[in-house]
Amino acid sequence: MGTVALAVTDGMLHFELSLAYEVFAAAPDGVTVPWYDVTVCGPVAVRVGRFRLEPDHGLDRLPRADTVIVPGWADVDQDPPAALVDAVRAAHEAGARVVSLCTGAFVLAAAGLLDGKRATTHWAHTEALASRYPRVEVDPDVLYVDNGSVLTSAGKAAAMDLCLHLIRLDHGSAIANTAARRLVVPPHRAGGQAQFVTAPVPAQDDHPLAELLPWAIQRLDQPLTVMDLARRANMSSRHLGRHFRSITGTTPLRWLLTQRIRRAQELLETTGDSVDTIAETTGMGTAATLRRHFNRTVGVPPDTYRRAFRDTRTNPTP
């Protein structure tokens, strides 16, 4: 939380810069918690894509920020400016959380912040990142990587995923979901998902599953089967599976499991319901089943997740 500084210089990609500013500059309607104070830091004037930008402050302001975001770097064949690299390194040494979007990872790598760490960038540049910075463990197959104080994302949509992940860390899933709805994007995609999608996702209101997916989400407490989904969609199970693959990138059952886990996360954060109750509410049946799938998917047990993400100020544990 606190101050978010966008670190810019000539050659930054305007999409990632604009995306980060849009996410963090203003709280979504209805959100009353203290929001982020966003500032743009860079030289006196920079070229971002085809635009000229006058930053609010110089790069020497970065160490004062709580979170520093480095947008995509356009010319990955060239070393990023030394002044930017030094300022990002200084910010991290001062305790800032440092985040790169897309090819901004090249700046973090040049600063030595990714040495010995797992990191990612746009899939088209992962080989270049690994070759130039061999001490970085480059993972080309994920949306983003969270190393605590250093985070990296793949390109474009994955940059949005990482920004929403930051809001989730700072404010919880309910507010992250509110921000996602304002931006008209999915509320949460786990960082470990593959970043390369072989087929584009159709417009949200113009694909064969547009009515089925919301219907299923409203009935997660029920033991839905593939046959139930196929019957509701008025298509064969095989036909349904093909549509799920092309639209969601996964199978109907895996998609259902993901929705159940997401719902369980929200309930763990926002209610005092027991794990047994949440298991029933999310269609998992028993606490043992929920714990098994939750631990496998999220990486920690439900109780540990609740302690880490629950807002005890507004939802004290009973």
Side-chain angles (χ1 to χ4, degrees):
M1 290 180 275
T3 302
V4 172
L6 306 180
V8 301
T9 189
D10 285 336
M12 286 294 178
L13 298 174
H14 68 274
F15 179 87
E16 284 78 7
L17 173 60
S18 301
L19 180 154
Y21 192 89
E22 177 69 19
V23 171
F24 295 108
D29 291 343
V31 173
T32 58
V33 299
W35 202 243
Y36 305 92
D37 178 17
V38 177
T39 184
V40 180
C41 299
V44 176
V46 299
R47 298 294 301 184
V48 179
R50 297 182 179 181
F51 304 100
R52 183 177 183 274
L53 176 68
E54 294 185 4
D56 302 312
H57 304 283
L59 290 171
D60 58 350
R61 188 68 172 260
L62 292 185
R64 302 186 191 180
D66 298 297
T67 299
V68 171
I69 296 179
V70 183
W73 173 249
D75 193 355
V76 297
D77 294 327
Q78 301 292 325
D79 291 334
L84 175 63
V85 172
D86 292 343
V88 169
R89 184 188 300 113
H92 184 257
E93 292 174 349
R97 176 174 61 182
V98 179
V99 180
S100 68
L101 306 180
C102 193
T103 49
F106 283 79
V107 178
L108 272 60
L113 303 188
L114 301 181
D115 288 355
K117 292 184 174 66
R118 183 165 156 265
T120 195
T121 188
H122 191 290
W123 62 267
H125 303 292
T126 51
E127 289 187 6
L129 182 64
S131 175
R132 191 175 307 170
Y133 303 101
R135 298 184 64 184
V136 180
E137 182 186 340
V138 179
D139 189 338
D141 298 320
V142 296
L143 296 177
Y144 56 84
V145 176
D146 182 348
N147 286 304
S149 64
V150 179
L151 303 91
T152 56
S153 85
K156 307 303 180 185
M160 176 69 78
D161 291 319
L162 180 52
C163 289
L164 290 173
H165 174 68
L166 294 175
I167 295 178
R168 186 183 184 87
L169 291 174
D170 295 340
H171 295 292
S173 63
I175 290 179
N177 290 348
T178 299
R181 283 193 295 271
R182 180 177 70 86
L183 297 164
V184 197
V185 296
H188 176 66
R189 292 197 297 169
Q193 291 187 34
Q195 60 172 284
F196 184 70
V197 180
T198 56
V201 177
Q204 188 172 355
D205 59 350
D206 187 27
H207 62 77
L209 304 183
E211 295 183 3
L212 177 65
L213 301 186
W215 178 87
I217 289 174
Q218 293 173 3
R219 293 163 176 80
L220 293 178
D221 60 321
Q222 302 176 20
L224 296 174
T225 66
V226 174
M227 286 302 299
D228 292 330
L229 297 177
R231 191 178 299 111
R232 177 68 186 184
N234 196 28
M235 61 181 69
S236 69
S237 298
R238 181 175 297 181
H239 198 192
L240 178 75
R242 286 199 295 267
H243 281 305
F244 259 89
R245 283 287 187 185
S246 65
I247 292 168
T248 71
T250 189
T251 66
L253 288 181
R254 287 188 178 276
W255 180 85
L256 270 175
L257 177 61
T258 298
Q259 306 315 308
R260 297 187 197 281
I261 295 295
R262 290 176 179 172
R263 179 59 177 154
Q265 288 177 300
E266 184 173 345
L267 292 173
L268 287 166
E269 294 183 28
T270 60
T271 75
D273 293 349
S274 68
V275 175
D276 292 277
T277 299
I278 292 175
E280 294 178 6
T281 303
T282 58
M284 292 287 192
T286 67
T289 300
L290 172 59
R291 287 191 173 96
R292 183 173 68 255
H293 288 297
F294 196 94
N295 200 9
R296 183 183 303 162
T297 303
V298 181
V300 296
D303 297 313
T304 302
Y305 182 88
R306 169 172 270 165
R307 286 194 297 271
F309 287 94
R310 188 180 180 84
D311 188 346
T312 56
R313 294 167 301 176
T314 57
N315 295 290
T317 301

